[in-house]
Every structure is written in structure tokens, then in C-alpha cells.
């Protein structure tokens, strides 16, 4: 039964190779979804972000790079959103309340960015901010000024936005942390705002 | 030579690869997972069956028999069940190409080649393994508290999960039926494909 043994050996080799492929394709059997993979990759190698022109709720122009030297928490929203962005807004509010008050604005800031550049004008951004208690200074609500720059910024963050078929959007919602060097360094679940804030506080 | 059949198969395969067919089948999670992927694997099965029987046997022997081929098909098919792989195929043309090449050549073709040599027990293993994988994955999709694919809506994930569970039940019922009727699962000595072989042996 020489052929049978050869088959066994070949089968074993294929299985070994298969496990190897699965191991590398799932980051050692830890990341089975694109979202976990994104978070793991950011932790391993923080990512530079494009200098995109943003416009806040008062019509002021700025960019992510203006926050260099400070920590910045970023979430992606659209103001008509009634489902996940509500949780995002609430989560951000909890982060803000948990952070040491004296550090707010000086060492750490919050920023909600709308990806619905076509419909979210400064007025709706302002209304959204007021609904969640954003002060417009330490926690700003902004939109991406040029619609053409929405896709590159979302891609740099690894955020995928898809229409939900009812006029709204669904997206992989999370809280993103930009380090003092302006790089995306950490991505956290929206249901763990307290842990996120504590991690920031401990690195201040 | 079954030239017509080969040309038709090639045409079907190329049609599946057109942007129109791709976006149509990949727009929904259910058609992506339960139509496009199975069709690509089926193309591999047909490809194997269109080879002359002597060629099929030679390939089977060269690969070390049925075992390595079945193991290869198991790993390759499992890979495309990873939510992460689906997302990657949608966002990355290289991964999409890998999907279109690997499903016929690493899943359908090896399985079809091995099938001729598999005993009733071997075939039963392949069937039950596939059915249980389908059911378990479907259940995971139903029960998952998070969106597993960034490119598909969370509602769609649940409905696809139910479709998978239903499909698994149907396949199981069908497979069980053949066990008792004794139709497709032939005894060891007479492979079920021998009828096809006889047909292929007579050039039309």
C-alpha cells in the first residue's frame, strides 16, 4: 500500500499548509472579521491619516493635523441617523464625562465627523451636537468639506459605509483614538466608552 | 470531444466574472455566499467531469489519491466562509481574483476528482461535514451580536443565517433520503460516476 501511504503523507501536508494559511489569514485564529482585523492591525502599526479639510458646526475650517500634540477621539456619524449613531453619541458623551475636566481641550479633544457631506450642513451638525451635549470646542461636530474627500478619509480609517436601503447608512461604528503624532493608534468598541476614557486618562 | 460543453462552461465562468454578474450576485450577502460561491465551485466540478476519464484518473493518482484532494477542498471552502474573506473579496481585486480561481480549482475540481474514488463512508463524511459546517455557520450568523461583514447590513446577516440553516436541513434530508433509497451513494465497487464514464467513453 505504497500509494495509500503517499496519500496520507500528502493529506497531512495539505492539512498542515491549510492550517498555516488559516493561521495567517486570521491573525493566529483571533480575527475572523474584517473589523477585528482592522483593530488588530492598527494596534500593531498605527496609521497616518490624510490631511482632509473639515468644517465644524460653526463653519470653521480645520484638519485632523491641527490636533497634533493632543490626543483626539474620533467617531463617524451622520446626523439623520437614529440607530447606531445615537449609541455613538451617547458613548462619546460618556467618554467626555469620564475624562479629567482640566485635560479636556488641552491634552485631549473629541471630534464627531459626518460622512454624509451632501446633507449634513453646519446647522444640522450643530443640532446634533446640542442633542448630545457637545460644547462645540472640546467636542466638535464636523463634516468633510469636499465630498470627494469622504472616501479617502473613510478608507484611511478603515470605515465602510453602506446604504441601508431606507435612506440611511450602516457602518462599522467604533471610537477611534489618534495619538499625539496624529496617527490612528487604537480602535475601541462603542459599548466600552468608560474603558476607552480610562485608557486615555492613564496616558495623559 | 465534448467541445460544446467545455465552451459553455467557459462562457458561464466568464459571465460570472463580468462586473455586471459580480455586482448583481455580490450586492446581497445571501447571493454572494449561497449562489456565487457554490456556482464557482460547481464550475470546478464540471471542469473535472469534462476531462477524459483517463485524465481524471491520472490526475487523481498524481495528487496522491482522494485524501489530499478532499482535505484541500475542505480547507479552501472553509476559507471562503470567513466573514473577513468575503469583505476582502469585495474591497480588494486581488482577493476577488483569488476567489474566482480557488473556488473552481481548489474546491470543485479536487472534490470531483476525489469523488470517483471515495467510498460511501468517505462521501458521507464530506456531505455531513459540509452540512454541519453550513448549519453551524448559519447559526453563528443568526446569533452574532455584531455585524460580521462590514459590507453587508446586519439584518441581511440574520436572514442569510436562516437561509443557511434551512439549506442545511434540506441537504441533510436529501442526503438521508439517498442513504435509504440507495440512489446516489453507490457501493464501493461501482462508483456512481461510472454511468457518466460510460457516456464519456463513447465519443459522440
Amino acid at each position: 500500500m505504497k500509494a495509500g501511504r503517499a496519500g496520507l503523507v500528502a493529506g497531512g501536508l495539505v492539512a498542515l499548509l491549510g492550517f498555516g494559511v488559516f493561521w495567517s489569514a486570521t491573525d493566529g485564529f483571533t480575527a475572523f472579521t474584517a473589523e477585528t482585523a482592522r483593530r488588530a492591525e492598527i494596534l500593531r502599526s498605527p496609521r497616518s491619516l490624510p490631511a482632509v479639510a473639515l468644517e465644524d458646526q460653526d463653519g470653521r475650517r480645520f484638519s485632523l493635523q491641527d490636533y497634533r500634540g493632543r490626543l483626539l477621539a474620533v467617531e463617524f456619524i451622520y446626523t439623520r441617523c437614529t440607530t447606531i449613531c445615537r449609541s455613538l453619541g451617547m458613548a462619546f458623551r460618556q467618554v467626555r464625562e469620564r475624562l479629567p475636566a482640566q485635560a479636556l481641550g488641552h491634552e485631549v479633544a473629541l471630534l464627531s465627523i459626518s460622512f454624509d457631506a451632501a446633507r449634513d450642513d453646519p446647522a444640522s451638525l450643530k443640532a446634533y451636537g446640542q442633542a448630545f451635549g457637545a460644547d462645540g470646542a472640546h467636542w466638535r461636530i464636523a463634516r468633510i468639506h469636499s465630498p470627494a474627500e469622504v472616501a479617502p478619509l473613510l478608507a484611511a480609517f478603515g470605515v465602510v459605509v453602506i446604504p441601508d436601503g431606507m435612506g440611511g447608512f450602516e457602518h462599522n461604528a467604533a471610537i477611534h483614538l489618534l495619538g499625539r503624532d496624529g496617527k490612528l493608534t487604537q480602535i475601541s468598541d462603542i459599548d466600552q466608552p468608560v474603558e476607552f476614557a480610562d485608557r486615555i486618562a492613564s496616558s495623559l | 470531444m465534448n467541445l460544446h460543453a467545455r465552451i459553455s462552461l467557459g462562457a458561464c465562468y466568464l459571465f460570472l466574472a463580468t462586473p455586471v454578474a459580480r455586482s448583481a450576485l455580490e450586492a446581497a450577502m445571501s447571493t454572494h455566499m449561497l449562489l456565487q460561491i457554490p456556482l464557482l465551485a460547481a464550475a470546478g466540478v464540471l471542469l473535472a467531469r469534462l476531462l477524459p476519464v483517463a485524465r481524471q484518473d491520472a490526475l487523481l493518482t498524481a495528487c496522491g489519491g482522494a485524501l489530499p484532494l478532499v482535505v484541500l477542498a475542505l480547507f479552501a471552502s472553509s476559507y471562503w466562509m470567513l466573514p473577513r474573506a468575503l469583505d476582502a473579496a469585495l474591497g480588494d481585486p486581488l482577493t476577488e481574483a483569488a476567489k474566482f480561481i480557488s473556488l473552481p480549482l481548489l474546491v470543485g475540481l479536487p472534490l470531483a476528482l476525489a469523488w470517483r474514488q471515495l467510498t460511501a463512508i468517505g462521501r458521507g463524511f464530506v456531505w455531513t461535514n459540509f452540512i454541519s459546517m453550513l448549519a453551524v455557520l448559519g447559526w453563528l450568523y443568526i446569533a452574532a451580536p455584531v455585524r460580521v461583514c462590514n459590507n453587508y447590513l446586519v439584518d441581511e446577516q440574520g436572514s442569510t443565517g436562516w437561509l443557511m440553516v434551512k439549506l442545511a436541513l434540506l441537504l441533510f434530508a436529501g442526503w438521508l433520503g439517498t442513504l435509504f433509497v440507495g440512489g446516489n451513494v453507490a457501493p464501493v465497487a461501482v462508483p456512481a460516476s461510472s454511468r457518466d464514464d460510460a457516456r464519456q467513453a463513447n465519443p459522440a
Side-chain angles (χ1 to χ4, degrees):
Chain A
M1 281 302 285
K2 210 179 152 198
R5 212 176 314 142
L8 269 183
V9 172
L13 283 177
V14 173
L16 214 62
L17 192 70
F19 270 114
V21 169
F22 260 78
W23 173 269
S24 71
T26 58
D27 292 306
F29 300 115
T30 57
F32 295 92
T33 65
E35 184 58 12
T36 14
R38 171 175 87 114
R39 297 178 185 192
E41 196 196 322
I42 291 299
L43 275 185
R44 272 199 309 271
S45 50
R47 201 184 289 170
S48 299
L49 299 165
V52 163
L54 301 169
E55 183 180 14
D56 76 1
Q57 71 286 330
D58 298 316
R60 284 174 298 196
R61 298 277 197 90
F62 67 105
S63 79
L64 290 174
Q65 283 65 26
D66 297 345
Y67 284 93
R68 283 219 174 122
R70 286 183 281 177
L71 297 174
L72 180 66
V74 174
E75 58 164 14
F76 286 91
I77 54 139
Y78 66 104
T79 63
R80 288 171 301 120
C81 179
T82 50
T83 51
I84 193 115
C85 313
R86 291 208 70 79
S87 327
L88 268 173
M90 296 305 287
F92 243 37
R93 188 180 186 150
Q94 276 175 284
V95 169
R96 205 253 332 259
E97 280 161 8
R98 182 86 179 179
L99 286 172
Q102 71 278 6
L104 264 178
H106 306 290
E107 289 175 82
V108 56
L110 288 84
L111 177 62
S112 305
I113 303 177
S114 162
F115 46 73
D116 195 358
R119 289 203 238 182
D120 282 342
D121 52 5
S124 44
L125 297 176
K126 196 162 205 158
Y128 177 92
Q130 278 163 354
F132 291 104
D135 61 1
H138 307 328
W139 176 4
R140 292 158 93 180
I141 320 294
R143 66 171 175 174
I144 300 158
H145 187 259
S146 157
E149 287 188 322
V150 174
L153 187 67
L154 290 179
F157 273 89
V159 173
V160 179
V161 178
I162 52 170
D164 68 0
M166 291 175 292
F169 302 99
E170 227 170 75
H171 61 109
N172 45 334
I175 316 177
H176 308 79
L177 182 68
L178 274 55
R180 293 185 179 85
D181 55 2
K183 284 186 178 174
L184 176 57
T185 55
Q186 204 184 98
I187 303 172
S188 183
D189 263 337
I190 59 166
D191 56 2
Q192 294 180 326
V194 174
E195 291 83 346
F196 180 79
D198 288 348
R199 274 199 301 275
I200 293 184
S202 68
S203 64
L204 288 175
Chain B
M1 291 301 283
N2 31 29
L3 192 63
H4 279 314
R6 285 186 201 190
I7 292 174
S8 316
L9 176 64
C12 288
Y13 177 75
L14 287 180
F15 174 71
L16 281 177
T18 58
V20 181
R22 273 177 42 218
S23 55
L25 290 180
E26 290 168 359
M29 191 185 211
S30 51
T31 50
H32 190 179
M33 289 193 73
L34 304 177
L35 204 56
Q36 191 199 50
I37 287 178
L39 279 175
L40 287 172
V45 172
L46 291 176
L47 176 68
R49 287 291 172 257
L50 287 176
L51 292 172
V53 180
R55 239 348 235 300
Q56 290 185 43
D57 286 336
L59 268 174
L60 183 59
T61 314
C63 295
L67 180 71
L69 290 176
V70 169
V71 176
L72 174 65
L74 278 181
F75 273 103
S77 59
S78 312
Y79 181 84
W80 294 110
M81 290 194 187
L82 290 174
R84 194 178 161 175
L86 284 189
D87 265 336
L90 290 168
D92 172 28
L94 266 180
T95 313
E96 177 77 346
K99 189 182 81 182
F100 268 78
I101 293 167
S102 69
L103 282 167
L105 294 185
L106 301 184
V107 179
L109 181 84
L111 209 53
L113 291 178
W115 204 252
R116 293 159 48 74
Q117 211 187 58
L118 282 181
T119 63
I121 294 176
R123 293 177 181 188
F125 169 77
V126 171
W127 267 122
T128 46
N129 181 71
F130 172 68
I131 291 170
S132 56
M133 244 162 51
L134 193 63
V136 166
L137 200 67
W139 189 252
L140 278 178
Y141 276 17
I142 294 166
V146 292
R147 215 152 61 100
V148 294
C149 275
N150 284 343
N151 284 287
Y152 293 116
L153 301 175
V154 70
D155 292 350
E156 220 182 320
Q157 178 175 314
S159 61
T160 305
W162 279 114
L163 263 177
M164 288 161 85
V165 169
K166 284 177 197 165
L167 197 63
L169 285 174
L170 261 176
L171 284 174
F172 184 67
W175 175 73
L176 212 59
T178 62
L179 277 193
F180 289 109
V181 177
N184 285 338
V185 182
V188 185
V190 193
S193 50
S194 58
R195 276 168 288 134
D196 308 0
D197 301 353
R199 201 169 52 228
Q200 284 182 13
N202 302 323

